[in-house]
Each structure stands twice: as C-alpha cells, then as structure tokens.
Amino acid sequence: MIFILDALVADLESLPVSQVENLFSALMDADRSGRHLVVIDRSICSWAIKSVSLSGENSKHLAGLREQFATRGNITEYAHSFLKVVLGSLPVTINGDHFEIGHVEFTSGEYATSKTKMIVENLNTDSRLYDFMLGVAISQTVVPGFAVDFVLGGGDTTVTAFEAEVKKQRIAVCVVDTDRVSPCDNLGETARKVINSHAKRNLDTTHAAPAYVGTVLETVGHELENYIPFSAVNLIGVFTHDTCLDAIVTQNSAVDAADCFWRYFDTKGGIDGKKIGSKVAAGKKPPSVVDWICKETGISVGDFVSLRISGIGSTVADHFLKNAAAKSHYVEFSKSEYWKALFLRHFEQVLWFLAAPEIRRS
C-alpha cells in the first residue's frame, strides 16, 4: 500500500529520538523491501538524512526517496486508497478515500513489516490465479507495482482468517465469493459474514468495532473461476461441457458484461433447476433468480425444475494456469470492452491496497 508521512520538521524534532528512529526505519524497510510504497516530502527527507540515525542501507534509501519525490509526490491525487501516517497516537481512521493512523499505532503494529494480506479460499490455486490476473490488470492502471501475501481462508474459516489478520494490525484485503447464480440472487453465507465484519469496523458510524486498514470486496459474479473467460476454458481441452453453454454464453462487449450467464454460472456444480426451485420455495433465494435463468437459457418457468446444466469441474483454475495458450488468450481478452467494463475497476480497487514500488511486483 502507499504510505504517506504527513508531518512537519518542528513536530518531528519534538518527539523522542527513539520514536523518530523507529518510524523512519519502519518506513525505509517497507519501501526498500518492496512491501509498500513510501512517500516523504523532500524537505523531511533532507532533515532526516542529517538528523535521524539509520542503518547505512536505510540512509542511502532515504536519499533515494528524496529524489523520487519528484515522481511520487503527487500520487495521492490519483491513488484510490492510501495510508497517511500522522504524528501522535491516532487509531486507524477513515477519511474519505484514505486511511490515517498515528505514528505510535503505526510502528506498534505490523503495517510496515508485513505485505498486504489477501485472504483466499485456496492457497495454492486461488493465490496463483489472482497473482496472474493482477499482473495482467496492472498494465492497464497507474498502480506502480504490487506486493501481496496470500492467507488461507475458505468457507467458515474465511471470516476467522480475515479477523485474525486485522487484529495483528496488518493491511487486510478479502475478495469473497458471492455464490450468486444470477444478478438478483442473495449473497452466500460466507460473503455475508465477512462483509458484516468489515461493515462493523469501517462502515458503522457507531464504531461497533475498531476500524482497520483494508477492504472487503465481492467477486465479480459467482466465484473466482468465473474470471476465466469461457473461451479460455474451451482452449484448455480437458473439460467437456453441455453444448447449450456455447449458445448461451456471450462475452464480446460491454453490454454482454452486465448480466453475462457465464459470470454467474457455477463452474463446479452447474445448474440444477430442481435444487434451485427448492431454495426459492424455502425462501432462501428470490423468485427472480428462476426468471433470470429462464430468460438466459430460453426455457419456460414451467420447465425450470427439469433444467440441468453440468458444471465444468473443480480443477478449472489449476488447468488454466498450466495452459500457456489459455493464459495468452486471457491477456488478449483483457483488452476487450467486456473485460474492461467488468474487471478493470475491480482489479484496480484491489491493486491500490497492494501498491508497491515498480521493481517489486510479487
């Protein structure tokens, strides 16, 4: 993430020497290691070079940051999110498009010593898929680079893993699977729990829980596997699917992105009209889910209980990542109006929380 030191020389001079040394050491280590991107005003850098006792590497790096202020100094004008470090004991506070924190809280936590933590449902496959897709997306943004550590969540453990990272005073990001099978469907239980935890901390004006640095986002559709275009799945060549999908799925334009069938298709379980109908009857899904699926598939509501479309399989992401042709196809797909309309803003939101110097992108 981007760390901005917001301080005056006179105020820094009034602090205990040990606090100033700890603050500048933490900031230099964070930037030099590539974990986060640090911005310090040139005048502050000049003062600190003369007045703050740092290691040789950190002193040299501070001199470099002074020169880089020419290119980094205006980053807050276009960054979607950043952390401003002020002097004092201010707890994490949300101020418009950015977070603020006092230097005491900042150095006592793990904000600088840890990369941004991103909670995923599958540490092996999901982490590699996000890493690949974020690497593709960043070229279409002004985010300099990204650094991230993935943390295992999944199912009921997702909210527990998310809360654990927050309590360790780390920057935490969680993109939760919606499990929606249509645009009008309800959020899945796991997503609701994580979003509720986030809301209590960062959205609840009564401050039911302390704010944290980070965010929770919903997947763009059913789950992460739906980020892989249907055309790329066809290129993999190891999966079979119901031929009706070829006629139903269209991913050509920004208009298609609005309610594309593939976006909400359960790639693992497919569609079972009888099961979905039972959930509607039990009040677990709104009736509009049935109407939307019928419209997209061209069947009547009366025939919905007989609808069966098989899933693709549980290893789609793993096979995609092993297939060079499919990944190359995704790179081209990312240049389409469909991808830009559906994914660009989503990935950019994530990337600003992972922002790091350009030389370190993983």
Side-chain angles (χ1 to χ4, degrees), residues 136-215:
V136 173
I138 198 170
S139 65
Q140 298 192 47
T141 74
V142 291
V143 181
F146 72 92
V148 60
D149 276 337
F150 294 99
V151 176
L152 178 62
D156 291 339
T157 66
T158 301
V159 69
T160 303
F162 169 71
E163 280 288 341
E165 296 305 319
V166 170
K167 289 174 181 177
K168 290 174 184 174
Q169 295 176 288
R170 296 168 171 173
I171 301 165
V173 173
C174 187
V175 183
V176 290
D177 292 345
T178 68
D179 293 333
R180 289 188 175 111
V181 296
S182 79
C184 46
D185 197 3
N186 298 324
L187 275 174
E189 183 179 358
T190 296
R192 290 199 302 271
K193 287 180 179 179
V194 179
I195 290 171
N196 184 53
S197 175
H198 164 74
K200 285 181 178 179
R201 290 182 175 277
N202 284 12
L203 302 180
D204 189 343
T205 55
T206 65
H207 304 293
Y212 76 103
V213 183
T215 193

Side-chain angles (χ1 to χ4, degrees), residues 8 43 55 60 72 97 110 167-168 180 240 292 352:
L8 299 174
S43 62
S55 69
K60 182 179 179 181
R72 292 186 179 188
D97 61 353
E110 298 184 26
K167 289 174 181 177
K168 290 174 184 174
R180 289 188 175 111
T240 58
W292 184 82
W352 281 115

Side-chain angles (χ1 to χ4, degrees), residues 296-319:
E296 294 296 313
T297 57
I299 67 168
S300 66
V301 174
D303 291 332
F304 182 75
V305 292
S306 301
L307 178 64
R308 299 286 187 281
I309 302 178
S310 300
I312 305 296
S314 60
T315 59
V316 172
D318 188 55
H319 281 284

Side-chain angles (χ1 to χ4, degrees), residues 117-156:
K117 303 295 181 178
M118 187 169 178
I119 295 87
V120 295
E121 292 201 5
N122 183 299
L123 198 55
N124 179 39
T125 305
D126 287 5
S127 61
R128 290 187 296 125
L129 188 56
Y130 270 120
D131 196 59
F132 169 73
M133 290 185 171
L134 289 167
V136 173
I138 198 170
S139 65
Q140 298 192 47
T141 74
V142 291
V143 181
F146 72 92
V148 60
D149 276 337
F150 294 99
V151 176
L152 178 62
D156 291 339

Side-chain angles (χ1 to χ4, degrees), residues 74-91:
N74 69 336
I75 199 166
T76 58
E77 295 178 9
Y78 54 85
H80 291 191
S81 58
F82 55 91
L83 176 61
K84 183 181 288 186
V85 181
V86 299
L87 300 186
S89 300
L90 180 74

